[in-house]
mmCIF file with all atom_site columns, all heavy atoms in Angstrom:
data_model
loop_
_atom_site.group_PDB
_atom_site.id
_atom_site.type_symbol
_atom_site.label_atom_id
_atom_site.label_alt_id
_atom_site.label_comp_id
_atom_site.label_asym_id
_atom_site.label_entity_id
_atom_site.label_seq_id
_atom_site.pdbx_PDB_ins_code
_atom_site.Cartn_x
_atom_site.Cartn_y
_atom_site.Cartn_z
_atom_site.occupancy
_atom_site.B_iso_or_equiv
_atom_site.pdbx_formal_charge
_atom_site.auth_seq_id
_atom_site.auth_comp_id
_atom_site.auth_asym_id
_atom_site.auth_atom_id
_atom_site.pdbx_PDB_model_num
ATOM 1   N N   . GLU A 1 184 ? 8.566  64.325 26.777 1.00 91.00 ? 184 GLU A N   1
ATOM 2   C CA  . GLU A 1 184 ? 7.539  64.692 27.761 1.00 91.00 ? 184 GLU A CA  1
ATOM 3   C C   . GLU A 1 184 ? 6.553  63.549 27.975 1.00 91.00 ? 184 GLU A C   1
ATOM 4   O O   . GLU A 1 184 ? 6.124  63.282 29.107 1.00 91.00 ? 184 GLU A O   1
ATOM 5   C CB  . GLU A 1 184 ? 6.808  65.955 27.302 1.00 91.00 ? 184 GLU A CB  1
ATOM 6   C CG  . GLU A 1 184 ? 7.667  67.197 27.385 1.00 91.00 ? 184 GLU A CG  1
ATOM 7   C CD  . GLU A 1 184 ? 6.972  68.412 26.811 1.00 91.00 ? 184 GLU A CD  1
ATOM 8   O OE1 . GLU A 1 184 ? 5.875  68.222 26.202 1.00 91.00 ? 184 GLU A OE1 1
ATOM 9   O OE2 . GLU A 1 184 ? 7.499  69.525 26.963 1.00 91.00 ? 184 GLU A OE2 1
ATOM 10  N N   . GLU A 1 185 ? 6.208  62.857 26.903 1.00 92.00 ? 185 GLU A N   1
ATOM 11  C CA  . GLU A 1 185 ? 5.297  61.717 27.002 1.00 92.00 ? 185 GLU A CA  1
ATOM 12  C C   . GLU A 1 185 ? 5.953  60.578 27.790 1.00 92.00 ? 185 GLU A C   1
ATOM 13  O O   . GLU A 1 185 ? 5.319  59.937 28.619 1.00 92.00 ? 185 GLU A O   1
ATOM 14  C CB  . GLU A 1 185 ? 4.899  61.249 25.596 1.00 92.00 ? 185 GLU A CB  1
ATOM 15  C CG  . GLU A 1 185 ? 3.991  60.031 25.564 1.00 92.00 ? 185 GLU A CG  1
ATOM 16  C CD  . GLU A 1 185 ? 2.630  60.277 26.223 1.00 92.00 ? 185 GLU A CD  1
ATOM 17  O OE1 . GLU A 1 185 ? 2.250  61.445 26.413 1.00 92.00 ? 185 GLU A OE1 1
ATOM 18  O OE2 . GLU A 1 185 ? 1.941  59.292 26.545 1.00 92.00 ? 185 GLU A OE2 1
ATOM 19  N N   . ALA A 1 186 ? 7.237  60.352 27.468 1.00 93.00 ? 186 ALA A N   1
ATOM 20  C CA  . ALA A 1 186 ? 7.983  59.316 28.193 1.00 93.00 ? 186 ALA A CA  1
ATOM 21  C C   . ALA A 1 186 ? 8.090  59.677 29.672 1.00 93.00 ? 186 ALA A C   1
ATOM 22  O O   . ALA A 1 186 ? 7.998  58.806 30.554 1.00 93.00 ? 186 ALA A O   1
ATOM 23  C CB  . ALA A 1 186 ? 9.357  59.129 27.589 1.00 93.00 ? 186 ALA A CB  1
ATOM 24  N N   . ASP A 1 187 ? 8.255  60.973 29.953 1.00 92.00 ? 187 ASP A N   1
ATOM 25  C CA  . ASP A 1 187 ? 8.323  61.453 31.340 1.00 92.00 ? 187 ASP A CA  1
ATOM 26  C C   . ASP A 1 187 ? 6.997  61.199 32.051 1.00 92.00 ? 187 ASP A C   1
ATOM 27  O O   . ASP A 1 187 ? 6.961  60.773 33.214 1.00 92.00 ? 187 ASP A O   1
ATOM 28  C CB  . ASP A 1 187 ? 8.667  62.939 31.324 1.00 92.00 ? 187 ASP A CB  1
ATOM 29  C CG  . ASP A 1 187 ? 8.814  63.485 32.742 1.00 92.00 ? 187 ASP A CG  1
ATOM 30  O OD1 . ASP A 1 187 ? 9.025  62.686 33.674 1.00 92.00 ? 187 ASP A OD1 1
ATOM 31  O OD2 . ASP A 1 187 ? 8.713  64.708 32.921 1.00 92.00 ? 187 ASP A OD2 1
ATOM 32  N N   . ARG A 1 188 ? 5.906  61.468 31.332 1.00 94.00 ? 188 ARG A N   1
ATOM 33  C CA  . ARG A 1 188 ? 4.583  61.266 31.920 1.00 94.00 ? 188 ARG A CA  1
ATOM 34  C C   . ARG A 1 188 ? 4.348  59.786 32.230 1.00 94.00 ? 188 ARG A C   1
ATOM 35  O O   . ARG A 1 188 ? 3.866  59.430 33.322 1.00 94.00 ? 188 ARG A O   1
ATOM 36  C CB  . ARG A 1 188 ? 3.513  61.777 30.944 1.00 94.00 ? 188 ARG A CB  1
ATOM 37  C CG  . ARG A 1 188 ? 2.094  61.731 31.493 1.00 94.00 ? 188 ARG A CG  1
ATOM 38  C CD  . ARG A 1 188 ? 1.079  62.078 30.424 1.00 94.00 ? 188 ARG A CD  1
ATOM 39  N NE  . ARG A 1 188 ? 1.059  61.079 29.372 1.00 94.00 ? 188 ARG A NE  1
ATOM 40  C CZ  . ARG A 1 188 ? 0.444  59.901 29.466 1.00 94.00 ? 188 ARG A CZ  1
ATOM 41  N NH1 . ARG A 1 188 ? -0.190 59.555 30.581 1.00 94.00 ? 188 ARG A NH1 1
ATOM 42  N NH2 . ARG A 1 188 ? 0.478  59.066 28.452 1.00 94.00 ? 188 ARG A NH2 1
ATOM 43  N N   . ILE A 1 189 ? 4.698  58.931 31.270 1.00 95.00 ? 189 ILE A N   1
ATOM 44  C CA  . ILE A 1 189 ? 4.508  57.483 31.464 1.00 95.00 ? 189 ILE A CA  1
ATOM 45  C C   . ILE A 1 189 ? 5.385  56.969 32.607 1.00 95.00 ? 189 ILE A C   1
ATOM 46  O O   . ILE A 1 189 ? 4.943  56.197 33.459 1.00 95.00 ? 189 ILE A O   1
ATOM 47  C CB  . ILE A 1 189 ? 4.826  56.725 30.155 1.00 95.00 ? 189 ILE A CB  1
ATOM 48  C CG1 . ILE A 1 189 ? 3.796  57.094 29.080 1.00 95.00 ? 189 ILE A CG1 1
ATOM 49  C CG2 . ILE A 1 189 ? 4.837  55.213 30.407 1.00 95.00 ? 189 ILE A CG2 1
ATOM 50  C CD1 . ILE A 1 189 ? 4.109  56.520 27.712 1.00 95.00 ? 189 ILE A CD1 1
ATOM 51  N N   . TYR A 1 190 ? 6.636  57.454 32.614 1.00 94.00 ? 190 TYR A N   1
ATOM 52  C CA  . TYR A 1 190 ? 7.567  57.037 33.677 1.00 94.00 ? 190 TYR A CA  1
ATOM 53  C C   . TYR A 1 190 ? 7.060  57.492 35.047 1.00 94.00 ? 190 TYR A C   1
ATOM 54  O O   . TYR A 1 190 ? 7.043  56.722 36.010 1.00 94.00 ? 190 TYR A O   1
ATOM 55  C CB  . TYR A 1 190 ? 8.953  57.621 33.377 1.00 94.00 ? 190 TYR A CB  1
ATOM 56  C CG  . TYR A 1 190 ? 9.945  57.466 34.514 1.00 94.00 ? 190 TYR A CG  1
ATOM 57  C CD1 . TYR A 1 190 ? 10.168 56.242 35.136 1.00 94.00 ? 190 TYR A CD1 1
ATOM 58  C CD2 . TYR A 1 190 ? 10.667 58.577 34.963 1.00 94.00 ? 190 TYR A CD2 1
ATOM 59  C CE1 . TYR A 1 190 ? 11.077 56.120 36.167 1.00 94.00 ? 190 TYR A CE1 1
ATOM 60  C CE2 . TYR A 1 190 ? 11.574 58.463 36.000 1.00 94.00 ? 190 TYR A CE2 1
ATOM 61  C CZ  . TYR A 1 190 ? 11.776 57.227 36.604 1.00 94.00 ? 190 TYR A CZ  1
ATOM 62  O OH  . TYR A 1 190 ? 12.676 57.109 37.635 1.00 94.00 ? 190 TYR A OH  1
ATOM 63  N N   . SER A 1 191 ? 6.624  58.745 35.116 1.00 95.00 ? 191 SER A N   1
ATOM 64  C CA  . SER A 1 191 ? 6.116  59.290 36.370 1.00 95.00 ? 191 SER A CA  1
ATOM 65  C C   . SER A 1 191 ? 4.867  58.536 36.835 1.00 95.00 ? 191 SER A C   1
ATOM 66  O O   . SER A 1 191 ? 4.689  58.249 38.027 1.00 95.00 ? 191 SER A O   1
ATOM 67  C CB  . SER A 1 191 ? 5.795  60.770 36.198 1.00 95.00 ? 191 SER A CB  1
ATOM 68  O OG  . SER A 1 191 ? 5.264  61.307 37.388 1.00 95.00 ? 191 SER A OG  1
ATOM 69  N N   . GLN A 1 192 ? 4.019  58.196 35.862 1.00 95.00 ? 192 GLN A N   1
ATOM 70  C CA  . GLN A 1 192 ? 2.801  57.452 36.180 1.00 95.00 ? 192 GLN A CA  1
ATOM 71  C C   . GLN A 1 192 ? 3.140  56.064 36.745 1.00 95.00 ? 192 GLN A C   1
ATOM 72  O O   . GLN A 1 192 ? 2.531  55.602 37.712 1.00 95.00 ? 192 GLN A O   1
ATOM 73  C CB  . GLN A 1 192 ? 1.952  57.318 34.917 1.00 95.00 ? 192 GLN A CB  1
ATOM 74  C CG  . GLN A 1 192 ? 0.594  56.685 35.145 1.00 95.00 ? 192 GLN A CG  1
ATOM 75  C CD  . GLN A 1 192 ? -0.198 56.583 33.853 1.00 95.00 ? 192 GLN A CD  1
ATOM 76  O OE1 . GLN A 1 192 ? 0.299  56.106 32.819 1.00 95.00 ? 192 GLN A OE1 1
ATOM 77  N NE2 . GLN A 1 192 ? -1.436 57.057 33.892 1.00 95.00 ? 192 GLN A NE2 1
ATOM 78  N N   . ASN A 1 193 ? 4.115  55.414 36.123 1.00 94.00 ? 193 ASN A N   1
ATOM 79  C CA  . ASN A 1 193 ? 4.532  54.087 36.588 1.00 94.00 ? 193 ASN A CA  1
ATOM 80  C C   . ASN A 1 193 ? 5.177  54.138 37.972 1.00 94.00 ? 193 ASN A C   1
ATOM 81  O O   . ASN A 1 193 ? 4.986  53.241 38.798 1.00 94.00 ? 193 ASN A O   1
ATOM 82  C CB  . ASN A 1 193 ? 5.493  53.449 35.589 1.00 94.00 ? 193 ASN A CB  1
ATOM 83  C CG  . ASN A 1 193 ? 4.761  52.795 34.428 1.00 94.00 ? 193 ASN A CG  1
ATOM 84  O OD1 . ASN A 1 193 ? 4.216  51.701 34.557 1.00 94.00 ? 193 ASN A OD1 1
ATOM 85  N ND2 . ASN A 1 193 ? 4.724  53.478 33.298 1.00 94.00 ? 193 ASN A ND2 1
ATOM 86  N N   . VAL A 1 194 ? 5.942  55.216 38.214 1.00 95.00 ? 194 VAL A N   1
ATOM 87  C CA  . VAL A 1 194 ? 6.543  55.397 39.539 1.00 95.00 ? 194 VAL A CA  1
ATOM 88  C C   . VAL A 1 194 ? 5.456  55.564 40.584 1.00 95.00 ? 194 VAL A C   1
ATOM 89  O O   . VAL A 1 194 ? 5.521  54.994 41.694 1.00 95.00 ? 194 VAL A O   1
ATOM 90  C CB  . VAL A 1 194 ? 7.507  56.598 39.553 1.00 95.00 ? 194 VAL A CB  1
ATOM 91  C CG1 . VAL A 1 194 ? 7.908  56.929 40.993 1.00 95.00 ? 194 VAL A CG1 1
ATOM 92  C CG2 . VAL A 1 194 ? 8.744  56.310 38.725 1.00 95.00 ? 194 VAL A CG2 1
ATOM 93  N N   . SER A 1 195 ? 4.423  56.324 40.237 1.00 95.00 ? 195 SER A N   1
ATOM 94  C CA  . SER A 1 195 ? 3.309  56.550 41.149 1.00 95.00 ? 195 SER A CA  1
ATOM 95  C C   . SER A 1 195 ? 2.557  55.242 41.427 1.00 95.00 ? 195 SER A C   1
ATOM 96  O O   . SER A 1 195 ? 2.226  54.929 42.587 1.00 95.00 ? 195 SER A O   1
ATOM 97  C CB  . SER A 1 195 ? 2.345  57.586 40.560 1.00 95.00 ? 195 SER A CB  1
ATOM 98  O OG  . SER A 1 195 ? 1.243  57.785 41.408 1.00 95.00 ? 195 SER A OG  1
ATOM 99  N N   . LEU A 1 196 ? 2.306  54.464 40.361 1.00 95.00 ? 196 LEU A N   1
ATOM 100 C CA  . LEU A 1 196 ? 1.629  53.179 40.537 1.00 95.00 ? 196 LEU A CA  1
ATOM 101 C C   . LEU A 1 196 ? 2.464  52.217 41.387 1.00 95.00 ? 196 LEU A C   1
ATOM 102 O O   . LEU A 1 196 ? 1.935  51.509 42.250 1.00 95.00 ? 196 LEU A O   1
ATOM 103 C CB  . LEU A 1 196 ? 1.347  52.548 39.169 1.00 95.00 ? 196 LEU A CB  1
ATOM 104 C CG  . LEU A 1 196 ? 0.249  53.207 38.333 1.00 95.00 ? 196 LEU A CG  1
ATOM 105 C CD1 . LEU A 1 196 ? 0.184  52.583 36.946 1.00 95.00 ? 196 LEU A CD1 1
ATOM 106 C CD2 . LEU A 1 196 ? -1.095 53.064 39.038 1.00 95.00 ? 196 LEU A CD2 1
ATOM 107 N N   . LEU A 1 197 ? 3.767  52.226 41.124 1.00 94.00 ? 197 LEU A N   1
ATOM 108 C CA  . LEU A 1 197 ? 4.657  51.372 41.906 1.00 94.00 ? 197 LEU A CA  1
ATOM 109 C C   . LEU A 1 197 ? 4.652  51.791 43.372 1.00 94.00 ? 197 LEU A C   1
ATOM 110 O O   . LEU A 1 197 ? 4.686  50.945 44.273 1.00 94.00 ? 197 LEU A O   1
ATOM 111 C CB  . LEU A 1 197 ? 6.083  51.428 41.337 1.00 94.00 ? 197 LEU A CB  1
ATOM 112 C CG  . LEU A 1 197 ? 7.126  50.562 42.059 1.00 94.00 ? 197 LEU A CG  1
ATOM 113 C CD1 . LEU A 1 197 ? 6.730  49.088 42.009 1.00 94.00 ? 197 LEU A CD1 1
ATOM 114 C CD2 . LEU A 1 197 ? 8.512  50.766 41.441 1.00 94.00 ? 197 LEU A CD2 1
ATOM 115 N N   . GLY A 1 198 ? 4.598  53.115 43.602 1.00 94.00 ? 198 GLY A N   1
ATOM 116 C CA  . GLY A 1 198 ? 4.557  53.615 44.973 1.00 94.00 ? 198 GLY A CA  1
ATOM 117 C C   . GLY A 1 198 ? 3.303  53.160 45.698 1.00 94.00 ? 198 GLY A C   1
ATOM 118 O O   . GLY A 1 198 ? 3.354  52.725 46.861 1.00 94.00 ? 198 GLY A O   1
ATOM 119 N N   . LYS A 1 199 ? 2.151  53.257 45.005 1.00 95.00 ? 199 LYS A N   1
ATOM 120 C CA  . LYS A 1 199 ? 0.898  52.807 45.607 1.00 95.00 ? 199 LYS A CA  1
ATOM 121 C C   . LYS A 1 199 ? 0.918  51.297 45.873 1.00 95.00 ? 199 LYS A C   1
ATOM 122 O O   . LYS A 1 199 ? 0.480  50.816 46.922 1.00 95.00 ? 199 LYS A O   1
ATOM 123 C CB  . LYS A 1 199 ? -0.268 53.155 44.694 1.00 95.00 ? 199 LYS A CB  1
ATOM 124 C CG  . LYS A 1 199 ? -0.543 54.637 44.575 1.00 95.00 ? 199 LYS A CG  1
ATOM 125 C CD  . LYS A 1 199 ? -1.706 54.904 43.633 1.00 95.00 ? 199 LYS A CD  1
ATOM 126 C CE  . LYS A 1 199 ? -1.962 56.412 43.514 1.00 95.00 ? 199 LYS A CE  1
ATOM 127 N NZ  . LYS A 1 199 ? -3.084 56.686 42.576 1.00 95.00 ? 199 LYS A NZ  1
#
Side-chain angles (χ1 to χ4, degrees):
E184 289 175 351
E185 178 63 17
D187 183 20
R188 185 187 65 79
I189 294 174
Y190 170 51
S191 178
Q192 186 180 49
N193 278 282
V194 169
S195 178
L196 288 174
L197 181 60
K199 292 179 181 179

